[in-house]
């Protein structure tokens, strides 16, 4: 009975409702699923040798092995991950602190901007791999040069984004604050810094992206732990499944951090994009 | 008392204000009317202290004006509210800058919001307000620090006609109740004639004082006469047409 009743309603409804997720998210998930299915099918039919493309099941199994006590190259996946995360988070914290400070200072003082702008613009476009040897000569092959390399990669976009945020401060807001009796520091703290926050957070998102790519480069030299190192070492042994696990883990962590920053941006700067 | 003597100012290498002499007594509502580009915004910026004059002096209660200060409240054409603060915190901003403790400043800000009819909206973020509501928050913010002089730069220019009239009457009521000196800049002739106790007509660039009229329509409204009855009064219409003639006559010369 209910079947006969619901049937005539169905065609019209199916188009508009009945899809529990937003359209874009649904399409995204579907694409990922299709890619996974294709991978499985290719491996299953033996179109590509497992040496080059191991089937999904094998990668999943390898993931379990890596995550377990056996690990890879004397460390479990979690230890590799912890080493990488520690490097990138220290670099990120330092770059945020310095980048925002330097960006604010450059925005407020034309002299400082004149001094620092050419320096930052000169090193920014150079790929980190190019100055990696210099870092090693100066600071050795320890953690310092690795963290410093990632730090440098994140610093530039954060400083530049902060500068853009300061320069984009609306004159009417600055004037309003001054007319209410604000001194220079109060203008900076209550008007310029919050106004630059959306740009600073965008700079962090860009910086974090650059940071991940630099991380792998930094772990190429004399590292004994780290996801980048793990992928690099596995590649030398043609352990394709380990390489794939490493890549997927990096992708997943980077994606999660990016989503976290986006959520932070929405929470901290809800006015952004509201025409203000 | 606000006093401007021999005030001259340049903008982008061009003289925009030429030898302005004006005095504004306590309790007056002065409206400066002029076509676009006659330097009326420059005049307000000079009095607010946002820019400095090439010649001449500005004094408020005998003290020379050189930089912005809390004794001169400013309401801008585009509100300039801080979107990371809610309505109440925006109104309390000036008091916070002056170091007033939180509870005290929030109480005065709330009282000020009540006067502009926005008490209900005190916890809302400012971007959820309409243009007229934002302008009311702007006025409340400027008045919260109890300035001696309130400066308004075409505050209702971006509002629709209906909201504009509501805002005009609100401002007249606040002016009457708070007994402050107000200086309003506008290019809307009816608004100018309706609100002013002293109406100053500026000529097109470079701005000079063309004529100064003493009017009483704003006072009549503050004394309780309805807005529509004033605006349809033949005396009001005659004044409005006279000012219109003066402004147009001046414009033709430059056309």
């Amino acid at each position: 009975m209910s079947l006969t009743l619901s049937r005539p309603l169905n065609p019209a409804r199916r188009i508009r409702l009945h899809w529990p997720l937003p359209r874009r998210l649904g399409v995204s998930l579907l694409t990922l699923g299709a890619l996974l299915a294709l991978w499985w099918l290719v491996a299953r039919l033996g179109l590509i040798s497992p040496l080059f493309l191991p089937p999904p099941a094998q990668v999943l199994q390898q993931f379990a092995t890596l995550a377990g006590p056996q690990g890879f190259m004397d460390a479990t996946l979690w230890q590799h991950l912890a080493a990488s995360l520690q490097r990138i988070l220290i670099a990120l914290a330092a770059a945020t602190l310095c980048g925002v400070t330097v960006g604010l200072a450059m925005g407020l003082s034309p002299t400082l901007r004149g001094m620092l702008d050419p320096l930052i613009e000169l090193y920014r476009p150079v790929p980190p791999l190019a100055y990696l040897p210099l870092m090693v000569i100066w600071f050795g092959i320890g953690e310092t040069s690795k963290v410093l390399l990632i730090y440098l990669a994140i610093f530039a976009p954060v400083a530049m984004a902060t500068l853009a945020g300061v320069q984009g401060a609306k004159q009417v807001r600055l004037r309003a604050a001054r007319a209410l009796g604000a001194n220079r520091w109060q203008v900076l703290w209550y008007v310029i810094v919050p106004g630059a926050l959306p740009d600073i957070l965008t700079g962090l998102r860009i910086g974090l992206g650059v940071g991940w790519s630099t991380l792998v480069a930094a772990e190429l030299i004399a590292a004994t732990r780290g996801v980048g190192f793990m992928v690099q070492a596995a590649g030398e042994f043609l352990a394709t499944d380990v390489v794939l696990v490493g890549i997927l883990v990096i992708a997943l962590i980077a994606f999660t951090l990016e989503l976290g920053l986006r959520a932070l941006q929405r929470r901290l700067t809800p006015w952004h994009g509201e025409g203000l | 008392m606000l006093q401007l003597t021999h005030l001259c100012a340049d903008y982008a290498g061009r003289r925009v204000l030429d030898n302005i002499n004006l005095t504004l007594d306590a309790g007056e509502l002065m409206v400066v009317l002029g076509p676009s580009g006659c330097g009326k915004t420059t005049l307000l910026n000079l009095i607010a202290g946002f820019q400095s004059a090439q010649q001449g002096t500005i004094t408020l209660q005998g003290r020379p004006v050189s930089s912005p200060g809390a004794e001169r409240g400013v309401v801008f054409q585009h509100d300039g509210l801080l979107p990371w603060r809610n309505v109440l915190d925006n109104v309390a901003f000036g008091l916070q800058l002056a170091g007033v403790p939180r509870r005290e400043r929030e109480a005065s800000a709330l009282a000020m919001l009540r006067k502009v009819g926005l008490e209900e909206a005190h916890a809302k973020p400012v971007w959820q307000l309409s243009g007229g509501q934002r302008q009311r928050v702007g006025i409340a913010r400027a008045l919260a620090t109890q300035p001696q002089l309130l400066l308004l730069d075409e505050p209702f220019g971006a509002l629709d006609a209906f909201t504009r009239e509501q805002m005009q009457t609100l401002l007249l009521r606040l002016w009457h109740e708070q007994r402050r000196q107000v200086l309003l800049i506008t290019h809307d002739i009816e608004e100018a004639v309706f609100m002013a106790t002293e109406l100053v007509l500026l000529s097109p660039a470079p701005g000079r004082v063309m004529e100064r009229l003493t009017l009483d329509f704003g006072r009549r409204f503050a004394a309780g006469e309805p807005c529509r009855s004033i605006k349809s009064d033949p005396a009001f219409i005659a004044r409005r047409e006279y000012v219109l003639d003066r402004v147009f006559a001046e414009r033709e010369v430059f056309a």
Side-chain angles (χ1 to χ4, degrees), chain B residues 2 4 12 30-32 39 61 86 94 112 136 160 220 223 227 249:
Chain B
L2 175 75
L4 313 181
M30 180 182 278
V31 176
V32 177
Q61 321 288 81
N86 66 20
M112 199 47 81
R136 270 143 72 191
D160 62 84
R220 274 167 60 183
C227 167

Side-chain angles (χ1 to χ4, degrees), chain A residues 172-173 175-182 186 190-191 194-195 270-271 274 276, chain B residues 45 50 68-70 72 74 76 78 80-81 83-85 93 96-97 127 141:
Chain A
V172 57
R173 286 183 195 154
R175 284 185 165 177
R178 300 211 45 212
L180 287 167
Q186 287 175 322
Y190 291 118
V191 184
W271 69 89
E274 294 281 346
L276 278 159
Chain B
N45 285 344
F50 298 140
R72 281 156 288 142
V74 185
F76 300 88
H78 301 290
L81 299 176
W84 44 89
R85 291 171 164 249
F93 186 37
Q96 184 184 6
L97 293 170
W127 75 80
R141 176 178 69 172

Side-chain angles (χ1 to χ4, degrees), chain B:
Chain B
M1 192 174 79
L2 175 75
Q3 194 150 26
L4 313 181
T5 35
H6 305 299
L7 203 63
C8 298
D10 295 346
Y11 183 76
R14 208 164 49 89
R15 178 127 302 187
V16 287
L17 285 176
D18 194 20
N19 196 20
I20 306 282
N21 293 289
L22 283 175
T23 49
L24 173 59
D25 291 322
E28 299 286 346
L29 196 161
M30 180 182 278
V31 176
V32 177
L33 177 72
S36 348
C38 74
K40 42 188 200 306
T41 295
T42 306
L43 181 66
L44 183 128
N45 285 344
L46 290 171
I47 300 171
F50 298 140
Q51 62 189 79
S52 48
Q54 263 63 34
Q55 288 169 39
T57 53
I58 304 170
T59 58
L60 182 64
Q61 321 288 81
R63 276 196 299 273
V65 164
S66 57
S67 61
E71 75 285 355
R72 281 156 288 142
V74 185
V75 177
F76 300 88
Q77 182 173 10
H78 301 290
D79 52 58
L81 299 176
L82 305 178
W84 44 89
R85 291 171 164 249
N86 66 20
V87 169
L88 186 69
D89 287 343
N90 263 290
V91 176
F93 186 37
L95 297 170
Q96 184 184 6
L97 293 170
V100 177
R102 172 175 287 270
R103 191 170 298 173
E104 218 173 294
R105 68 176 187 248
E106 285 187 347
S108 353
L110 208 57
M112 199 47 81
L113 277 174
R114 197 173 304 133
K115 290 199 174 110
V116 299
L118 279 175
E119 198 187 4
E120 312 276 284
H122 73 273
K124 273 195 186 174
V126 290
W127 75 80
Q128 285 179 3
L129 304 181
S130 68
Q133 288 175 323
R134 269 193 220 171
Q135 225 30 297
R136 270 143 72 191
V137 176
I139 292 172
R141 176 178 69 172
L143 284 175
T145 50
Q146 311 278 335
Q148 296 161 12
L149 170 66
L150 185 66
L151 300 164
L152 302 104
D153 182 12
E154 300 194 23
F156 315 135
L159 305 178
D160 62 84
F162 178 67
T163 315
R164 197 179 307 157
E165 190 165 291
Q166 281 187 321
M167 296 293 290
Q168 290 164 359
T169 55
L170 171 75
L171 186 64
L172 278 174
R173 254 182 268 123
L174 284 172
W175 162 72
H176 184 67
E177 183 189 307
Q178 310 244 321
R179 311 219 163 268
R180 287 187 205 295
Q181 312 169 62
V182 174
L183 189 136
L184 176 88
I185 304 264
T186 186
H187 60 250
D188 182 331
I189 291 166
E190 191 179 83
E191 178 171 287
V193 174
F194 175 56
M195 299 191 71
T197 63
E198 296 288 326
L199 176 58
V200 174
L201 302 182
L202 283 190
S203 67
R208 292 193 189 90
V209 177
M210 231 159 56
E211 188 163 349
R212 186 171 169 163
L213 300 166
T214 305
L215 302 170
D216 65 344
F217 303 109
R219 285 197 208 281
R220 274 167 60 183
F221 176 81
E225 196 175 335
C227 167
R228 295 312 327 165
S229 125
I230 295 172
K231 286 191 176 174
S232 52
D233 181 347
F236 178 82
I237 294 167
R239 270 302 179 197
R240 191 187 67 200
E241 292 306 308
Y242 171 76
V243 173
L244 202 67
D245 274 351
R246 287 297 315 245
V247 173
F248 275 158
E250 203 52 42
R251 201 170 264 183
E252 270 163 27
V253 176
F254 285 82

